[in-house]
Amino acid sequence: MPTLTARRVPTARLTQHILEDASRDAGEPVVFVHGNVSSSAFWQDAMLALPERYRPIAVDLRGFGGTDPLPVDATRGLRDYADDLMALLEALHMERAHFVGWSMGGGVVLQHMRDRPAMVRSLTLVNPVSPYGFGGTKGVDGRLNSPDGAGSGGGTANPDFVRLLAEGDRGETSPLSPRNVLALCYVKPPLRLKREDEYVEAMLGTRLGDDHYPGDSKPCEAWPGTAPGTRGVLNCLAPTHFRLDDLHTALAAHPVKPPVTWVRGEDDVIVSDTSLFDLAHLGAIGAVPGWDGTPAQPMVAQTRHVLALYARVGGRVREVTVPGAGHAVHVERPQEFGAALLETLAEGV
């Protein structure tokens, strides 16, 4: 049976922790990038399921798992992470690879493709963050609700969830414990995962604070009274810092356009047009007081819009919807995810 090993790889930017199957060093590289409040541990089963011709590698992003906790400069959007990814490939002497990104990791690999398309053989997105960031926008074209990005950034994190992460809570007493957030939001209930304990430990490996999760924030006049800061994870996802409006124009003239497959759980409550993590939607349902009518962010519609623009300039795009699945399709429905991934890898340029 194939096995995964862990090691830390020094790069030009920082030392990064990876999982890999070291016996496949001659295979086509497939690089897996995790989402927010998680780590490479969430990719283990998907990596082990790959055929022998592929070389699976999963990386911990900075401030997660075993990678150096360098500060995140949110004013660069997701480019700190994307540039770290580039440095890892250089350290591993890889000129090109397939990339798989989940949630925030989907935004990281999209940014990487936008900046370095020649290095991308294919792209598989798993419930990716909207190309217009998380929170604070409306419409399929990602228009800001407020010029300062109100409703997004570090101030939108639930303080009780952050506190329980800091306390290393492994229980189920609070509905906002990492274990309950995993069971109720990462996957669709009533599913409980075989690797649940490992995933909870991965969540607890998230580095906390203004430079990491959730990041800093600043008060503002517009509802809900918080706007993005300049540091940390949720701010690098704010629409004032991360936007891929120009994805299609940046790749239009590129001679080879990587195929993109978008795999999404139909019942995802995190990345959704009615996200339970979007303050505007929570305001609309009465969970956040003082709602002023600000519309919820149409996250799925925005991703579909940006990928359609990429298809118009010649990119190959496929959307795979998995009924009855939530945010972590790759761990909830490994067979459907694996089939979609293998088809994409076979189409790689």
Side-chain angles (χ1 to χ4, degrees):
M1 292 291 292
T3 57
L4 299 178
T5 56
R7 65 177 169 124
R8 280 168 51 83
V9 180
T11 76
R13 290 175 58 81
L14 74 171
T15 298
Q16 303 184 54
H17 177 269
I18 66 171
L19 292 179
E20 63 181 342
D21 182 347
S23 68
R24 304 195 203 179
D25 59 358
E28 280 183 29
V30 182
V31 180
F32 295 84
V33 184
H34 65 82
N36 194 12
V37 191
S38 62
S39 78
S40 57
F42 279 79
W43 290 117
Q44 292 175 84
D45 292 337
M47 296 170 70
L48 291 169
L50 283 182
E52 288 293 322
R53 63 170 290 193
Y54 297 108
R55 178 186 178 184
I57 298 165
V59 61
D60 288 343
L61 299 174
R62 64 168 62 194
F64 296 94
T67 289
D68 287 352
L70 268 63
V72 178
D73 180 357
T75 65
R76 305 186 70 231
L78 291 174
R79 278 198 167 97
D80 267 358
Y81 299 123
D83 290 352
D84 291 348
L85 192 59
M86 171 67 181
L88 176 65
L89 265 63
E90 290 178 339
L92 295 175
H93 307 291
M94 295 179 181
E95 295 183 358
R96 304 177 71 228
H98 303 273
F99 292 89
V100 186
W102 169 43
S103 194
M104 182 177 77
V108 173
V109 298
L110 272 173
Q111 184 71 64
H112 180 69
M113 184 176 79
R114 183 253 177 253
D115 294 344
R116 308 173 185 93
M119 298 190 68
V120 180
R121 295 179 64 96
S122 72
L123 203 65
T124 302
L125 306 172
V126 187
N127 294 83
V129 63
S130 164
Y132 300 109
F134 198 99
T137 66
K138 59 188 173 186
V140 297
D141 55 350
R143 287 163 289 151
L144 291 171
N145 292 329
S146 175
D148 56 9
S152 67
T156 64
N158 188 297
D160 287 331
F161 176 61
V162 177
R163 175 181 58 81
L164 292 167
L165 281 174
E167 293 173 358
D169 190 300
R170 293 169 173 81
E172 299 183 59
T173 302
S174 169
L176 292 168
S177 71
R179 188 177 299 275
N180 277 327
V181 170
L182 171 68
L184 298 174
C185 301
Y186 282 31
V187 301
K188 182 181 179 181
L191 177 67
R192 299 302 288 257
L193 301 169
K194 292 180 180 179
R195 293 186 183 269
E196 182 175 280
D197 288 343
E198 293 178 58
Y199 297 148
V200 170
E201 292 304 316
M203 296 170 72
L204 292 173
T206 302
R207 185 62 63 98
L208 304 176
D210 285 350
D211 285 324
H212 298 288
Y213 180 82
D216 64 343
S217 63
K218 60 183 180 182
C220 67
E221 295 296 325
W223 187 89
T226 184
T230 61
R231 301 151 58 196
V233 176
L234 294 188
N235 294 311
C236 74
L237 293 168
T240 48
H241 301 314
F242 171 65
R243 297 181 69 84
L244 289 173
D245 307 73
D246 65 343
L247 179 70
H248 62 295
T249 56
L251 274 67
H254 197 269
V256 180
K257 298 175 179 61
V260 176
T261 294
W262 172 25
V263 184
R264 65 180 189 89
E266 192 172 48
D267 297 321
D268 186 0
V269 299
I270 296 178
V271 176
S272 166
D273 289 354
T274 53
S275 170
L276 294 181
F277 289 68
D278 177 10
L279 293 185
H281 176 64
L282 292 175
I285 63 175
V288 174
W291 181 58
D292 66 349
T294 297
Q297 180 185 5
M299 301 178 188
V300 173
Q302 289 175 349
T303 298
R304 189 173 291 124
H305 172 70
V306 168
L307 293 181
L309 292 176
Y310 178 57
R312 288 181 194 175
V313 299
R316 287 175 286 167
V317 174
R318 184 165 58 108
E319 179 179 342
V320 177
T321 303
V322 182
H327 188 59
V329 178
H330 53 297
V331 295
E332 295 175 82
R333 305 283 279 277
Q335 291 185 334
E336 286 120 307
F337 168 73
L341 174 60
L342 288 178
E343 186 173 342
T344 308
L345 298 180
E347 295 173 350
V349 294

